Amino acid sequence: MIKVGIIGYGYWGPNLVRNFNALDNCKVICVADARAERLSLVAKNYPTIECVTDANDLLNHSQVDAVIIATPVFTHFDLAKKALQNGKHVLLEKPMASTVAEASELIEIAAKKNLLLMVDHTFLYTGAVQKMKSLIDSDAIGTLRYIDSTRINLGLLQPDINVLWDLAPHDLAILLYLNNLKPYSINATGISHTKNGIENIAYLTVNYQENFIAHFNCSWTSPVKLRTFLVGGSDKMLVYNDLEPAEKLRIYDSGFEVKNHDDRLKLMVEYRAGDIHIPQVSLHEALKEMANDFITSILEQKVPRSTSSLGLEVVRILEISQQSLKQGGKEILL
Amino acid sequence: MIKVGIIGYGYWGPNLVRNFNALDNCKVICVADARAERLSLVAKNYPTIECVTDANDLLNHSQVDAVIIATPVFTHFDLAKKALQNGKHVLLEKPMASTVAEASELIEIAAKKNLLLMVDHTFLYTGAVQKMKSLIDSDAIGTLRYIDSTRINLGLLQPDINVLWDLAPHDLAILLYLNNLKPYSINATGISHTKNGIENIAYLTVNYQENFIAHFNCSWTSPVKLRTFLVGGSDKMLVYNDLEPAEKLRIYDSGFEVKNHDDRLKLMVEYRAGDIHIPQVSLHEALKEMANDFITSILEQKVPRSTSSLGLEVVRILEISQQSLKQGGKEILL
Amino acid sequence: MIKVGIIGYGYWGPNLVRNFNALDNCKVICVADARAERLSLVAKNYPTIECVTDANDLLNHSQVDAVIIATPVFTHFDLAKKALQNGKHVLLEKPMASTVAEASELIEIAAKKNLLLMVDHTFLYTGAVQKMKSLIDSDAIGTLRYIDSTRINLGLLQPDINVLWDLAPHDLAILLYLNNLKPYSINATGISHTKNGIENIAYLTVNYQENFIAHFNCSWTSPVKLRTFLVGGSDKMLVYNDLEPAEKLRIYDSGFEVKNHDDRLKLMVEYRAGDIHIPQVSLHEALKEMANDFITSILEQKVPRSTSSLGLEVVRILEISQQSLKQGGKEILL
Amino acid sequence: MIKVGIIGYGYWGPNLVRNFNALDNCKVICVADARAERLSLVAKNYPTIECVTDANDLLNHSQVDAVIIATPVFTHFDLAKKALQNGKHVLLEKPMASTVAEASELIEIAAKKNLLLMVDHTFLYTGAVQKMKSLIDSDAIGTLRYIDSTRINLGLLQPDINVLWDLAPHDLAILLYLNNLKPYSINATGISHTKNGIENIAYLTVNYQENFIAHFNCSWTSPVKLRTFLVGGSDKMLVYNDLEPAEKLRIYDSGFEVKNHDDRLKLMVEYRAGDIHIPQVSLHEALKEMANDFITSILEQKVPRSTSSLGLEVVRILEISQQSLKQGGKEILL
């Protein structure tokens, strides 16, 4: 029975408490939040959970085995470092840290202390992403050619991080999970309508040395909500629409093959536009699977699906994208 | 009665003949195409139209008042130059030329000869674009903040021009038509899956010195066809979906206003998500309106809606975008 | 503070407990269910609620002011009658009873005892139905001409009631709520694929002496889930699609007016197909509003929105529809 | 080379001329229409076609081999009878005649004269209907259980025939084509908002002695256009949506099987909700296939797909449905 403490009871905290509490081999015993009104919600719904306003009380709590950190990104490093130093396993909300340096240091400490450090990239646990992964791994899609993601809506502008740091981690984690190619360089463009230099619209291109490209369109200021993730392969193409209540994934038996590369003006391309297949994908709650993976990985000392090294690569792309944004979209090598 | 000659009877040619013939003050009297099988189609359907295999016969035709050029882009300049020099008015398919230099020279000749030079940016004549224009001009939208366009499908890869030259002219023409801001710089990223260096996927950012940005996502290799054009204003936002049979335009009474720019961590943003309005827009054939504008502008010596100077600016953005693509997405000033 | 007991902790029971508990002026103090495993769920989540396996213990409970009955329809009458006789207010799940006779007797007892008897027609408390009601009452729609409802999906076939008794009460309640016309006659057709005579597909026409008609298409055996409710008026038409996450109601500025009735072959009809408006409708939880209406109506001795007389008319249409079904779709007067 | 004459150059006539003219083994040589302005359209577009204002001139035309009748229904019988008596093959627009008696007499005459009599039920020639037919015939769907069709829009109210005669022939032809079961009885309900007794909304149930039912919802007064045709089978279910530009047919691997019929209260139903498959269906012009079938059937003396006996059964259902409508929805045996 793993005893869990959760720091941060804002938007995501209640979901974490509910899902970790629903597991058999785990118990949430303490929640920390500086805001009294948030703690009173915990007390009302979970009278047996201990509430503390100072996160240090949780980090030093003798009974806590694992700490879940659901606070703003800029606080992640300090909290996680203390937790690891105190011998606690750590689950960090995404993105795991503000810089590559911070993320790397946390990974190092965890390794030294032989503790689990995991990042909550919840989307890796959805039925649709699992289905895409198995299709790609079984070579049903052919050679991957591109990923194109649109994640836009009328969202809450964050005061401290731009729209890429807020929205792109979901899709970057999926990108990194679906294939093993190593990104080569980054371009990012965007705009801030708030005069604080924090972009609310941004476009990110991730270039590869292989014949593959990934592009991410992120916005907090779209009148429509879109969550469209295209995967182009040489044999089949996928469209993952997370807003569809049931038909989240479509497999298009479409593609094209280039037959003649020699003569520029005699380009011969064979097109194929065939049937569409909509597989049933599991509609379980992904957060519950993630919670279970965290606890099971502690108990069985196994590597979780959502590793800290994947989390680090997400932070690396974000960090570089910010440099590119500040240099007019210049290509920056990873 | 304007007598028209059309060069090129490929995909678009039959639509041009049908629409120009349907006008009262105009008559198609000659069609030129090097391919006999294409001319036999003309003969079958329009027995009174003269057919020639050599474009020069049309360009030198004494009775032809105006020449319409619907051939591959790289041939536009030579054909249009001869037509103008022969004293014919000219309508060019989009994009009007392969380079800014060519487009500029054509504009100069037309001016000197006092002839009409127009570009067929058909979309400027659709009911939806007209409605957007009138909403923006009447200040119903507020300050324009961004345009975001997605034009992707499984399309025919062109052997001589990349996907931006093929698909972006539509949306660039709309961009330039809807507002009077002057683009400042360009970034473009993309990929060629055909090893001939011709990009089949490309992403274009058009930056402005004003607080406005435009982005274009173009692909010939998407399993789904999307034609989505978002216009974000400070008061309202528009979504133009050209694939909708009737409900092409949606006006969202949504927006956000930034209240406090001073204190970075106390960002105050007021959101508004209100009703949606779907106006009836004219569903007439845009090509017919364009044809009528061309003929009427000749007869009345007026400036058409789709000017050659707008056509030139489209070519300028395409030319610069190609430079950016070849320099790893580098920002290039216009 | 109204003290509430709930009989039946199946599919709907947990929602009732959660919503009544969330009210300030009410407290769920007892739940009855014959199934021990259902009661253990209550105990786990609401340790302070008393659990009883015999509904009589709840009906006789001295502290219970109001009884909510969420059990199969055929048990409603006996439970509600006892509750009323014991001086408890009663909220019945829909449909309120198996026969008109039963429903009428309950209404009579409640009246005599001066107790509130209400039916949980939850849909009357949704934002979309409220918006339709206000549009109709303010005469924005013009004269009502028809209602056409489709409520189909792959659903659980019920062993004791047919698909009309299961699905139609929602739409019949909305029909009766939206207008004050009195139905005149009923036709119903359908089929049972289960050989037990319980129809799993049924079609119901409600005829009126006024120039108005209503039709209901109900099925448990459709591969697609549809919830489409059309309201045709002389001035405007409404489409209420309950499956839309946000855009539930569309107001069409469409209609037709008959100009010439005299000469059959010179029928003159004027059509209008205009803009579409999608109003923001409240997306609150309707069940909470219903719960609040029940409790407030008790406390303030007011008439609730979802009256027992509306509930009775729903049962009347269902009873007659069953007669029509058994007589080959024959029209039966109400 | 079959020489064809077409009577009626209204809405559908131009499509007929275009498609018959496009065939190799057929030529439209004469068009009859009493309206001079309609004939002038023929003259303009097809200068070689003879135009006559009196249909008799066409019916007596010595060179005409086959007559196509695209006039209002009430004129079909007289025109077709004369054509057959004059030894011409006949293609009738749907529905083929106003009464079963008329339709039967035409069939008899054609048989005696050994002439082809065919009805233009165009939908039988669409890719989607062909795909449904082949799925059903190959037993991929299992036992057919129901068909449910919705064909509604804001349409032109006809002065002489009700909405069932106008819209239902499409779906009734598909119903009769897809399966060989014999309809047993009819119920129809509806309403006329025009006070001329011509229903503009109608609901039609076709009952079968086998465990199968078909229902048709037809309206000229819906704000939304819907064309949804559901086919329920024991193994799979189909949804045919004719408004989808490409994805017209969906195959749902969904169904239910009743396991226990003996004990009413222990109904055991096994549900299955599985993958969805969207097959590519041919998007050719169905009218061209129909035209080709008519001409080929004459030349090869074969039975066409859209037989006159199917056309007769469509008329029979319509005739009976009218009787049911006038008798308050009473079930009437076929």
Side-chain angles (χ1 to χ4, degrees):
Chain A
M1 175 69 65
I2 299 293
K3 297 203 189 83
V4 164
I6 295 179
I7 305 178
Y9 199 75
Y11 168 68
W12 202 234
N15 296 326
L16 291 166
V17 173
R18 178 169 51 81
N19 276 285
F20 276 93
N21 252 2
L23 297 178
D24 288 336
N25 46 16
C26 148
K27 207 165 129 180
V28 179
I29 64 164
C30 186
V31 168
D33 199 300
R35 297 162 295 183
E37 76 278 12
R38 297 303 302 173
L39 287 184
S40 75
L41 283 178
V42 181
K44 190 178 168 188
N45 289 302
Y46 305 96
T48 62
I49 293 183
E50 188 180 342
C51 291
V52 299
T53 50
D54 186 344
N56 287 307
D57 293 345
L58 189 150
L59 292 166
N60 297 322
H61 199 298
S62 62
Q63 298 210 34
V64 166
D65 303 309
V67 174
I68 301 172
I69 298 171
T71 55
V73 184
F74 69 88
T75 66
H76 282 190
F77 177 69
D78 283 347
L79 293 168
K81 187 172 176 179
K82 275 186 209 162
L84 291 168
Q85 286 172 333
N86 288 358
K88 323 282 191 202
H89 304 284
V90 169
L91 176 70
L92 279 163
E93 274 314 306
K94 57 91 211 164
M96 74 181 289
S98 299
T99 65
V100 170
E102 286 178 359
S104 303
E105 188 177 336
L106 292 178
I107 289 175
E108 226 170 280
I109 301 173
K112 263 189 219 152
K113 291 267 191 174
N114 202 23
L115 291 165
L116 178 62
L117 176 68
M118 178 171 144
V119 187
D120 174 15
H121 285 298
T122 319
F123 272 91
L124 305 191
Y125 297 86
T126 59
V129 171
Q130 281 304 300
K131 184 73 187 177
M132 290 200 286
K133 177 71 171 164
S134 80
L135 286 166
I136 290 168
D137 286 356
S138 70
D139 204 29
I141 307 305
T143 309
L144 287 192
R145 285 179 167 155
Y146 68 86
I147 276 174
D148 183 293
S149 163
T150 303
R151 183 176 291 270
I152 63 177
N153 62 298
L154 199 60
L156 286 183
L157 279 72
Q158 305 289 323
D160 57 336
I161 53 170
N162 74 16
V163 69
L164 286 182
W165 283 85
D166 186 36
L167 300 183
H170 297 308
D171 303 296
L172 290 172
I174 302 173
L175 166 74
L176 295 168
Y177 179 61
L178 289 185
N179 76 73
N180 298 314
L181 300 176
K182 221 180 127 55
Y184 171 73
S185 69
I186 296 287
N187 300 88
T189 57
I191 195 167
S192 168
H193 287 112
T194 49
K195 296 186 183 164
N196 60 0
I198 309 264
E199 291 82 5
N200 52 294
I201 296 177
Y203 303 101
L204 172 60
T205 305
V206 183
N207 305 291
Y208 287 74
Q209 287 197 292
E210 294 83 3
N211 203 18
F212 177 80
I213 194 171
H215 185 265
F216 303 85
N217 177 341
C218 295
S219 171
W220 284 322
T221 48
S222 161
V224 277
K225 185 174 182 174
L226 296 179
R227 300 271 180 271
T228 312
F229 192 95
L230 273 63
V231 179
S234 55
D235 293 339
K236 289 200 199 316
M237 303 197 194
L238 308 177
V239 178
Y240 164 33
N241 182 349
D242 195 46
L243 298 183
E244 282 286 337
E247 304 178 8
K248 293 191 179 290
L249 188 62
R250 288 173 149 239
I251 306 168
Y252 287 75
D253 191 9
S254 300
F256 69 95
E257 203 151 332
V258 183
K259 291 291 181 194
N260 180 349
H261 293 117
D262 307 333
D263 185 343
R264 186 184 138 144
L265 285 175
K266 287 189 181 150
L267 181 71
M268 280 185 56
V269 183
E270 271 186 14
Y271 299 91
R272 206 161 29 76
D275 292 7
I276 303 167
H277 194 75
I278 302 174
Q280 280 249 309
V281 296
S282 169
L283 296 172
H284 61 253
E285 191 167 4
L287 188 53
K288 191 179 170 185
E289 301 265 321
M290 188 284 300
N292 185 54
D293 192 23
F294 179 62
I295 298 301
T296 315
S297 297
I298 293 172
L299 291 170
E300 303 178 3
Q301 291 190 279
K302 71 174 182 65
V303 177
R305 181 181 302 164
S306 177
T307 61
S308 53
S309 63
L310 187 147
L312 167 65
E313 292 312 310
V314 169
V315 172
R316 193 187 308 276
I317 293 175
L318 293 171
E319 192 175 283
I320 302 284
S321 72
Q322 201 147 343
Q323 295 173 23
S324 179
L325 267 170
K326 297 311 172 201
Q327 298 177 55
K330 193 184 153 189
E331 181 180 20
I332 301 191
L333 303 192
L334 276 157
Chain B
M1 174 72 64
I2 300 293
K3 299 204 188 83
V4 164
I6 295 178
I7 306 178
Y9 199 75
Y11 168 67
W12 201 234
N15 296 326
L16 290 166
V17 174
R18 178 168 53 80
N19 277 285
F20 275 93
N21 252 1
L23 296 179
D24 288 335
N25 45 15
C26 149
K27 208 165 125 179
V28 179
I29 63 163
C30 186
V31 168
D33 199 302
R35 298 162 295 183
E37 76 277 13
R38 296 305 302 171
L39 287 184
S40 74
L41 282 178
V42 180
K44 190 177 170 186
N45 289 301
Y46 304 96
T48 62
I49 294 182
E50 188 181 344
C51 291
V52 299
T53 49
D54 185 343
N56 286 308
D57 294 344
L58 190 151
L59 293 167
N60 297 322
H61 199 298
S62 63
Q63 299 208 36
V64 165
D65 303 310
V67 174
I68 302 172
I69 298 170
T71 54
V73 185
F74 69 88
T75 67
H76 283 191
F77 176 69
D78 284 346
L79 293 169
K81 188 173 175 179
K82 276 186 210 164
L84 291 168
Q85 285 171 335
N86 289 356
K88 322 282 191 206
H89 303 283
V90 170
L91 175 71
L92 279 163
E93 276 311 308
K94 56 91 210 163
M96 73 182 288
S98 298
T99 64
V100 169
E102 287 178 359
S104 302
E105 189 178 335
L106 293 178
I107 289 174
E108 226 170 279
I109 302 173
K112 264 189 219 153
K113 292 266 191 176
N114 201 24
L115 293 165
L116 178 62
L117 175 68
M118 179 171 143
V119 187
D120 175 15
H121 284 299
T122 319
F123 271 92
L124 304 191
Y125 296 87
T126 59
V129 171
Q130 280 305 301
K131 184 73 186 178
M132 290 200 288
K133 177 70 170 165
S134 80
L135 285 166
I136 290 168
D137 285 356
S138 69
D139 204 29
I141 308 304
T143 310
L144 288 193
R145 285 178 167 155
Y146 68 86
I147 276 176
D148 183 293
S149 163
T150 302
R151 184 176 292 267
I152 62 177
N153 62 296
L154 199 60
L156 287 184
L157 279 73
Q158 305 289 323
D160 57 336
I161 54 170
N162 74 16
V163 70
L164 286 181
W165 282 85
D166 185 38
L167 299 183
H170 296 308
D171 303 297
L172 290 173
I174 302 173
L175 166 74
L176 295 168
Y177 179 62
L178 289 185
N179 76 74
N180 299 313
L181 299 176
K182 220 181 128 53
Y184 171 73
S185 69
I186 297 286
N187 300 86
T189 56
I191 195 168
S192 168
H193 288 111
T194 48
K195 295 185 185 166
N196 60 0
I198 309 264
E199 290 83 6
N200 53 295
I201 296 177
Y203 303 100
L204 171 62
T205 306
V206 183
N207 305 290
Y208 288 74
Q209 286 197 294
E210 294 83 3
N211 204 17
F212 178 80
I213 194 171
H215 185 266
F216 303 86
N217 178 341
C218 295
S219 172
W220 283 322
T221 48
S222 161
V224 277
K225 185 174 182 175
L226 295 179
R227 300 275 180 268
T228 311
F229 192 95
L230 273 62
V231 179
S234 56
D235 293 341
K236 289 203 199 312
M237 304 197 193
L238 308 177
V239 179
Y240 165 33
N241 182 349
D242 195 45
L243 299 183
E244 282 284 339
E247 305 178 8
K248 293 193 179 290
L249 188 62
R250 286 173 151 239
I251 306 168
Y252 286 76
D253 192 10
S254 299
F256 68 95
E257 203 150 334
V258 182
K259 291 293 181 190
N260 179 350
H261 294 116
D262 308 334
D263 185 344
R264 185 183 139 144
L265 286 174
K266 285 188 183 152
L267 181 71
M268 278 184 57
V269 183
E270 270 186 14
Y271 300 92
R272 205 162 27 77
D275 291 5
I276 303 166
H277 195 74
I278 302 174
Q280 279 249 310
V281 297
S282 169
L283 296 173
H284 61 254
E285 191 167 4
L287 188 53
K288 191 180 170 185
E289 301 263 320
M290 189 283 301
N292 185 53
D293 193 21
F294 179 62
I295 298 300
T296 314
S297 297
I298 293 172
L299 291 171
E300 303 178 2
Q301 293 191 277
K302 69 175 184 64
V303 177
R305 182 181 301 162
S306 177
T307 61
S308 53
S309 62
L310 187 147
L312 168 65
E313 293 311 309
V314 169
V315 173
R316 194 188 307 278
I317 293 175
L318 293 172
E319 192 175 281
I320 301 285
S321 73
Q322 202 147 342
Q323 295 173 25
S324 179
L325 268 171
K326 297 311 172 200
Q327 297 177 53
K330 193 183 152 190
E331 181 180 19
I332 301 191
L333 302 193
L334 276 158
Chain C
M1 176 67 66
I2 300 293
K3 298 202 190 85
V4 165
I6 294 177
I7 306 178
Y9 199 74
Y11 168 67
W12 201 234
N15 295 327
L16 291 166
V17 173
R18 177 169 52 81
N19 276 286
F20 276 93
N21 252 3
L23 296 178
D24 288 336
N25 46 16
C26 148
K27 207 165 128 180
V28 179
I29 63 164
C30 187
V31 167
D33 199 301
R35 298 161 295 182
E37 77 278 11
R38 297 303 301 172
L39 287 185
S40 75
L41 283 178
V42 180
K44 189 177 168 187
N45 289 301
Y46 304 97
T48 62
I49 294 182
E50 187 181 344
C51 292
V52 299
T53 50
D54 186 344
N56 286 308
D57 294 345
L58 188 152
L59 292 166
N60 297 322
H61 199 299
S62 62
Q63 298 208 37
V64 166
D65 302 310
V67 175
I68 301 172
I69 298 170
T71 53
V73 185
F74 69 89
T75 67
H76 283 189
F77 176 70
D78 283 347
L79 294 169
K81 187 171 176 180
K82 274 186 209 163
L84 291 168
Q85 285 171 336
N86 287 359
K88 322 282 192 206
H89 303 285
V90 169
L91 175 70
L92 279 163
E93 275 313 307
K94 58 91 214 165
M96 74 181 288
S98 299
T99 65
V100 170
E102 285 178 0
S104 302
E105 189 176 336
L106 292 178
I107 288 174
E108 223 170 281
I109 300 172
K112 261 189 218 151
K113 292 267 194 173
N114 201 24
L115 292 164
L116 178 62
L117 176 68
M118 180 170 143
V119 186
D120 175 14
H121 285 298
T122 319
F123 272 91
L124 305 192
Y125 296 87
T126 60
V129 171
Q130 281 303 300
K131 184 75 186 174
M132 291 200 286
K133 176 72 171 166
S134 80
L135 286 166
I136 290 169
D137 286 357
S138 69
D139 204 27
I141 307 305
T143 310
L144 288 192
R145 284 178 168 157
Y146 68 85
I147 276 175
D148 183 293
S149 164
T150 302
R151 184 176 290 270
I152 63 178
N153 64 297
L154 199 61
L156 286 184
L157 279 71
Q158 305 289 323
D160 57 335
I161 55 170
N162 73 16
V163 70
L164 286 182
W165 283 85
D166 185 37
L167 299 183
H170 296 307
D171 303 295
L172 290 172
I174 301 173
L175 166 74
L176 295 167
Y177 179 62
L178 289 185
N179 77 73
N180 299 313
L181 300 176
K182 221 181 127 54
Y184 172 72
S185 69
I186 296 287
N187 301 87
T189 57
I191 194 167
S192 168
H193 288 112
T194 48
K195 296 187 184 165
N196 61 1
I198 309 265
E199 289 83 5
N200 52 295
I201 295 176
Y203 303 101
L204 170 62
T205 306
V206 183
N207 305 291
Y208 288 74
Q209 287 197 293
E210 294 83 2
N211 204 17
F212 178 81
I213 194 171
H215 185 265
F216 303 85
N217 177 341
C218 294
S219 171
W220 282 323
T221 48
S222 162
V224 277
K225 185 173 182 175
L226 296 178
R227 300 273 180 271
T228 313
F229 191 96
L230 273 63
V231 179
S234 56
D235 293 340
K236 287 200 199 316
M237 304 197 195
L238 309 176
V239 178
Y240 164 34
N241 182 349
D242 196 45
L243 299 183
E244 282 285 338
E247 305 177 8
K248 293 192 178 290
L249 188 63
R250 286 173 151 240
I251 307 170
Y252 287 76
D253 191 10
S254 300
F256 69 95
E257 203 151 332
V258 183
K259 290 292 181 191
N260 180 347
H261 294 116
D262 307 333
D263 185 343
R264 186 184 137 143
L265 285 175
K266 289 189 182 148
L267 181 71
M268 281 184 56
V269 183
E270 272 185 14
Y271 299 92
R272 205 162 29 76
D275 291 6
I276 303 167
H277 195 75
I278 303 175
Q280 279 249 309
V281 297
S282 169
L283 296 172
H284 62 253
E285 190 167 5
L287 188 55
K288 192 179 169 186
E289 300 264 320
M290 188 283 301
N292 186 53
D293 193 22
F294 179 62
I295 299 300
T296 314
S297 296
I298 292 171
L299 291 170
E300 302 178 2
Q301 292 192 282
K302 71 176 182 63
V303 177
R305 180 181 302 164
S306 177
T307 60
S308 53
S309 63
L310 187 148
L312 167 65
E313 292 312 309
V314 169
V315 172
R316 193 188 308 277
I317 292 174
L318 293 172
E319 192 176 282
I320 301 285
S321 72
Q322 200 149 343
Q323 295 173 24
S324 179
L325 267 171
K326 297 310 170 200
Q327 298 177 53
K330 194 184 152 189
E331 181 180 21
I332 301 190
L333 303 192
L334 276 157
Chain D
M1 175 70 65
I2 299 292
K3 300 204 188 83
V4 164
I6 296 178
I7 306 178
Y9 199 75
Y11 168 67
W12 201 233
N15 296 326
L16 290 166
V17 174
R18 178 169 51 81
N19 277 285
F20 276 94
N21 253 2
L23 295 179
D24 289 334
N25 45 16
C26 146
K27 206 165 127 181
V28 179
I29 63 164
C30 186
V31 167
D33 199 302
R35 297 162 296 182
E37 77 277 12
R38 296 305 299 172
L39 287 185
S40 75
L41 283 178
V42 180
K44 190 177 169 187
N45 288 302
Y46 305 96
T48 61
I49 294 182
E50 188 181 344
C51 291
V52 299
T53 51
D54 185 345
N56 286 309
D57 294 345
L58 190 152
L59 293 166
N60 297 322
H61 200 298
S62 62
Q63 298 209 37
V64 165
D65 302 310
V67 174
I68 302 172
I69 299 171
T71 55
V73 185
F74 69 89
T75 67
H76 282 190
F77 176 69
D78 284 347
L79 293 169
K81 187 173 176 180
K82 275 187 208 162
L84 291 169
Q85 285 172 335
N86 288 357
K88 323 282 191 203
H89 304 283
V90 170
L91 175 70
L92 279 163
E93 275 313 306
K94 57 92 210 163
M96 73 182 287
S98 298
T99 65
V100 169
E102 286 178 358
S104 302
E105 190 178 334
L106 292 178
I107 289 174
E108 227 169 278
I109 300 173
K112 264 190 217 150
K113 293 267 193 173
N114 201 24
L115 292 164
L116 178 62
L117 175 69
M118 180 170 142
V119 186
D120 175 14
H121 285 298
T122 319
F123 272 92
L124 305 192
Y125 296 87
T126 59
V129 171
Q130 281 304 301
K131 183 74 185 175
M132 290 200 289
K133 176 71 171 166
S134 79
L135 286 167
I136 290 169
D137 286 356
S138 69
D139 205 28
I141 307 305
T143 309
L144 288 193
R145 284 178 167 157
Y146 69 85
I147 276 175
D148 183 292
S149 164
T150 302
R151 184 176 289 270
I152 63 178
N153 63 297
L154 199 59
L156 287 184
L157 278 72
Q158 305 290 323
D160 57 334
I161 54 169
N162 73 17
V163 70
L164 286 182
W165 282 85
D166 185 37
L167 299 183
H170 295 308
D171 303 297
L172 290 172
I174 302 173
L175 166 74
L176 294 168
Y177 179 62
L178 289 185
N179 76 73
N180 299 312
L181 300 177
K182 220 181 127 51
Y184 172 73
S185 69
I186 297 286
N187 302 86
T189 57
I191 195 168
S192 168
H193 287 112
T194 50
K195 295 186 184 165
N196 60 1
I198 309 263
E199 290 83 4
N200 52 296
I201 296 176
Y203 303 100
L204 170 62
T205 307
V206 183
N207 305 290
Y208 287 74
Q209 286 197 294
E210 294 84 0
N211 204 17
F212 178 80
I213 194 170
H215 186 265
F216 302 85
N217 178 342
C218 294
S219 171
W220 282 323
T221 48
S222 162
V224 277
K225 185 173 182 175
L226 297 178
R227 301 274 181 268
T228 313
F229 191 96
L230 273 64
V231 178
S234 56
D235 292 340
K236 289 202 198 315
M237 304 197 194
L238 308 176
V239 178
Y240 165 33
N241 183 350
D242 195 44
L243 299 183
E244 283 285 339
E247 305 178 7
K248 293 192 179 290
L249 188 62
R250 287 173 151 240
I251 307 169
Y252 287 77
D253 191 10
S254 298
F256 69 95
E257 203 151 332
V258 183
K259 290 293 181 190
N260 179 347
H261 294 117
D262 309 333
D263 185 342
R264 183 183 142 145
L265 286 175
K266 287 187 183 151
L267 181 71
M268 279 183 59
V269 183
E270 271 186 13
Y271 300 92
R272 206 162 28 77
D275 292 5
I276 302 168
H277 195 75
I278 301 174
Q280 279 248 308
V281 296
S282 168
L283 296 173
H284 61 254
E285 191 167 3
L287 188 53
K288 191 180 170 184
E289 301 264 321
M290 189 284 300
N292 186 52
D293 194 20
F294 179 62
I295 298 301
T296 315
S297 297
I298 292 173
L299 290 170
E300 303 179 2
Q301 292 192 279
K302 71 176 182 63
V303 177
R305 183 182 298 163
S306 178
T307 61
S308 54
S309 64
L310 187 148
L312 168 65
E313 293 311 309
V314 169
V315 173
R316 193 188 307 280
I317 293 174
L318 293 171
E319 191 175 282
I320 301 285
S321 73
Q322 200 147 343
Q323 295 173 24
S324 179
L325 268 171
K326 297 311 171 200
Q327 297 178 53
K330 193 184 153 189
E331 182 181 20
I332 301 191
L333 302 193
L334 276 158

